[in-house]
Amino acid sequence: MKRVSFLVVMLAQLLLSVASAPICAYGQTGCPLPTLADLFDRVMQQSSRMHGISSDLQSQFEHYLFPSKNMLGKWKCHTHDILTPGNKQNAQNIDREQLTEVILRLLGAWGDPLSQLHQSMRQDHNKNHGRDFSHSSSNKALEMSDVMQELRDGVLKMAEKMKLQGAFSNAVAVVQPEEARHSSAFAFYKRGTLSLLDHNDLLYCLRRDSDKVKNYLRILQCSTLPGLEC
Amino acid sequence: MVFSVVISITNTYLSMSVDVFCPSSTPVCGAAMTNALELTWLLFLVITPHAKGHSLPGKPTLTSCRSPEKETFTCWWQPGSDGGLPTTYALYYSKESSDIVHECADYYTAGENSCFFNKNDTSIWVNYNITVVATNRLGSTFSDPVDVDVAYIVQPNPPENLSLSIMDDKGWPFLRVAWAPPRKADTRSGWITLIYELRIQVDGQNEWETHLAGQQKLFNIFSLRSGGLYLVQVRCKPDHGFWSEWSTASYIRFPDYFHREKSAWIIIAVVCAFLFLSITLLLHMTCHSLKHCLLPPIPGPKIKGFDQHLLKKGKSEDIFSALVVSDFSRMSSSSNSEDPLVEEYLEVYVTEEREAMLEESKSHSGDDSFKLESSASDNDSGRGSCDSRTLLMEKCGRPKQHDGDRGEDWGEAQVDAVGGTWPPVFTSQSEQPRRCLSGCLPPSEASKYIKSRSDVNIAASGHKQSPARWSVEYVGTRMVAEDDVAVSRGCSQPAPFQERDYSRVKRVGSDDTLLLLQRVSEVATNECETRTSQKSTICTQDATLTSGYVDTAAILPMATN
């Protein structure tokens, strides 16, 4: 009898506690939402992380391959058609909304290729059992894919908040990047048989794009929230 | 042209020398000679053209390309060997995925063997394929191409406006280093993000202490020694790029804060010493000896007027006279104030027979007989007189029948005071007529005991009846009414039925009279009459019953000779 009553009491307490402090799901009211500054900080951290991973991936490949290989040469990155500001002048002239859109497009363009890269690396690893770098690279590719996805979600939230706070001069809805255009992005890098060289080009492009994203986010942050940080 | 002239001359010389050296025109000699000459000529040919420099230029090499602010960049090259001819250098570049080749527009801004790309020509996140060409009259030589992405070749200028200042943190100084980003780098708009690093060393020593400051432009250093001369340098780096050069050093001398520390200790020491001195002084003033304060001595026996030496001499007369001193009143009244350990009073108690007598005399009311109120006997009084170490004490064993007890032998008195034994003060019965507080025979039936009571210090007290602090010593005194002699009785073993009345002597009158404080008993009446044989006493009731005694005007005459 005592045990039952005790249990009842515990359950009641649990329910009450749950009722009093609701678990914050996304978008629920009553939860303390992060400020724009917090969002920016998180996004910046995430983009740094992303860039770090991409640099690691590329350096691993470089180390493995002969170092004097020319980068890309005549090739292009699959995201070449996304118009990105190439110098400071252009970057400062562009609107905040446009810049945000560019960021989102860049991030969106890499979703599929990264997952395919990861699969490809895993296949490579399965083929070449002794290759240590391939295994770690495959993991890193997976991690990269996750990080990029998270970053994209974060930037979306941040954009919404910016819109709410009136940071955007034009009340234009943030365009969702088109996914369909880059479905065959991975194939873009394929030239015949799949080889490590293909990965190298892809990784080079990945590193560059992650650097672009990081820089654009920084410009956006300093433009929206000028302060001690900038 | 010169070359051909030389050849023709040499040929001529050769043929002439062959003719000279080989006169017989032997074919062997001629052939050998020709060979030697040709060899010499060949050698000559080989050596001389180098001094002249007719060749293609050597291959130049691109040493580095750097951008100070990610808006412009410069490339430097190292020229190869000069082909002996004036050589010109040109830099060509092409952008990523474009076949158009451009030539460097500015060879002079950045110095010799350099190419400066201005803002218009610079694109970030674009691969530049750069080649340097060395050209002379004979031809050109291309360098190895280099791919450059401006985003990754940023090396900023050193930070500027390095300032050092000593700040105060609750009395402890620390060094604050502050700087500004290099002028050209645009960190405000977020185009470039810099992280900083500073280093500090004691002037003269070679050990640097480096601190990474992150993105902040301010840094506090706490771990510095007072009085030292320090120099500080700072440098910066973009998040992906190269470290700048160290800025020019700034010097600062750290202040001496040891003095403040020292003075604080001095103050503390002075205060402690002062406190210590004051405490010792205080102790000294209140107690003349610390030992006396901390361990108060047990009070010894003090009976005023008692002279040990007299006792030793054995003259009881003198002893008694010394004891029962005329200024007893003075002493008793002032005794409390003088010495709280000594209290002197005489207790008088009367036996039952005597009480009966008193009652009778009371009814007569006119008697001069000494009367005392009977009161409840004090359990203490008289009982222990056998065992107490008192002056004028008789050993117990005496029967209580006083009637006709003249021949009583008082025996030796037990005197056992602190520090010595007292000689017997009781003498034989034969010495009765003299004044005595002790040793006198009780002629009458009723006996009255005057007890002198004094507080004594008994070191090892087996005394039963004494109160906590004091022990009571009794002088058994027997009052002989007719003789007017106060006798002392040693062993007072009162019969259990006997009741004793005690009177406290308040003071001794000028003509040897005792002023008694009579105790008021619960059942007894208030009136009291005490009379001596000589004088009448008046018993008055005192409102102040401080100790249960009624102040009486009873005066007992002291037996005098």
Side-chain angles (χ1 to χ4, degrees), chain A residues 51 55 69-77 84-89 91-92 204 207-209 211-212 214-216 218-220 222-223 226-230, chain B residues 69-71 95-99 119-120 122-127 129 145-149 151-152 184 186-194 215 217 239-240:
Chain A
H51 188 271
S55 297
K69 185 194 180 301
N70 286 339
M71 299 299 165
L72 287 183
K74 293 266 201 270
W75 304 326
K76 301 175 190 178
C77 289
T84 57
N87 55 21
K88 188 177 127 185
Q89 202 69 32
Q92 284 180 333
Y204 181 82
R207 186 180 170 220
R208 176 194 285 177
D209 283 346
D211 194 43
K212 274 188 186 176
K214 192 177 168 191
N215 208 342
Y216 295 153
R218 180 73 178 163
I219 292 164
L220 205 60
C222 289
S223 162
L228 294 169
E229 289 274 317
C230 301
Chain B
E69 76 288 77
K70 215 157 89 174
E71 293 167 46
K95 287 190 177 180
E96 172 185 318
S97 69
S98 167
D99 290 333
K119 283 187 187 181
N120 296 330
T122 309
S123 304
I124 317 297
W125 301 296
V126 166
N127 233 355
N129 195 314
V146 163
D147 285 310
V148 166
D149 191 336
Y152 302 116
K184 285 196 214 167
D186 184 3
T187 52
R188 285 194 76 84
S189 67
W191 179 241
I192 200 169
T193 310
L194 294 173
Q215 287 182 20
K217 301 180 193 68
D239 39 7
H240 321 288

Side-chain angles (χ1 to χ4, degrees), chain B residues 42-341:
Chain B
L42 214 68
L43 265 161
F44 186 68
L45 269 174
V46 165
I47 292 164
T48 40
H50 287 272
K52 303 274 182 177
H54 278 281
S55 74
L56 286 168
K59 195 171 165 185
T61 47
L62 273 162
T63 50
S64 68
C65 294
R66 286 287 181 267
S67 167
E69 76 288 77
K70 215 157 89 174
E71 293 167 46
T72 64
F73 73 104
T74 313
C75 282
W76 293 271
W77 65 85
Q78 179 66 41
S81 65
D82 195 0
L85 301 160
T87 316
T88 55
Y89 296 92
L91 189 140
Y92 297 98
Y93 66 93
S94 68
K95 287 190 177 180
E96 172 185 318
S97 69
S98 167
D99 290 333
I100 307 165
V101 176
H102 309 266
E103 196 188 336
C104 175
D106 189 341
Y107 289 105
Y108 305 106
T109 310
E112 205 177 320
N113 297 328
S114 71
C115 175
F116 177 75
F117 295 79
N118 63 12
K119 283 187 187 181
N120 296 330
D121 296 331
T122 309
S123 304
I124 317 297
W125 301 296
V126 166
N127 233 355
Y128 281 77
N129 195 314
I130 301 170
T131 317
V132 175
V133 178
T135 314
N136 66 3
R137 189 170 58 83
L138 294 171
S140 333
T141 318
F142 286 80
S143 69
D144 290 331
V146 163
D147 285 310
V148 166
D149 191 336
V150 182
Y152 302 116
I153 57 157
V154 182
Q155 185 180 24
N157 295 327
E160 294 166 6
N161 299 339
L162 179 60
S163 73
L164 304 171
S165 55
I166 308 289
M167 309 286 282
D168 190 64
D169 173 39
K170 292 170 200 163
W172 298 99
F174 64 93
L175 180 67
R176 172 162 285 184
V177 189
W179 57 87
R183 215 171 299 126
K184 285 196 214 167
D186 184 3
T187 52
R188 285 194 76 84
S189 67
W191 179 241
I192 200 169
T193 310
L194 294 173
I195 58 170
Y196 303 95
E197 186 182 61
L198 63 95
R199 67 179 186 182
I200 185 167
Q201 79 167 24
V202 180
D203 190 34
Q205 291 181 15
N206 235 358
E207 257 182 53
W208 286 102
E209 188 183 309
T210 50
H211 300 274
L212 194 66
Q215 287 182 20
Q216 61 199 45
K217 301 180 193 68
L218 198 65
F219 198 80
N220 298 327
I221 301 174
F222 295 91
S223 57
L224 297 181
R225 275 176 288 157
S226 61
L229 181 70
Y230 289 94
L231 66 96
V232 182
Q233 284 183 315
V234 66
R235 66 176 184 176
C236 58
K237 162 176 131 57
D239 39 7
H240 321 288
F242 302 97
W243 281 106
S244 69
E245 294 296 323
W246 286 105
S247 66
T248 54
S250 281
Y251 290 86
I252 191 149
R253 183 169 287 280
F254 213 63
D256 265 331
Y257 60 86
F258 180 69
H259 289 308
R260 262 192 282 172
E261 215 176 53
K262 200 174 164 187
S263 65
W265 282 114
I266 287 166
I267 287 165
I268 288 166
V270 162
V271 166
C272 282
F274 178 72
L275 279 169
F276 181 70
L277 280 170
S278 59
I279 285 166
T280 47
L281 201 70
L282 211 69
L283 280 170
H284 188 260
M285 274 161 60
T286 51
C287 317
H288 289 287
S289 84
L290 197 64
K291 189 179 150 194
H292 190 71
C293 268
L294 294 176
L295 307 165
I298 300 163
K302 284 192 187 178
I303 298 173
K304 285 265 161 61
F306 181 70
D307 197 355
Q308 273 191 339
H309 300 295
L310 282 177
L311 268 180
K312 282 174 189 167
K313 283 180 193 166
K315 293 203 171 175
S316 53
E317 266 187 26
D318 297 335
I319 292 162
F320 291 143
S321 60
L323 275 173
V324 186
V325 78
S326 57
D327 56 350
F328 176 72
S329 61
R330 272 214 310 280
M331 287 195 296
S332 65
S333 60
S334 63
S335 67
N336 283 335
S337 60
E338 214 170 42
D339 193 349
L341 293 176

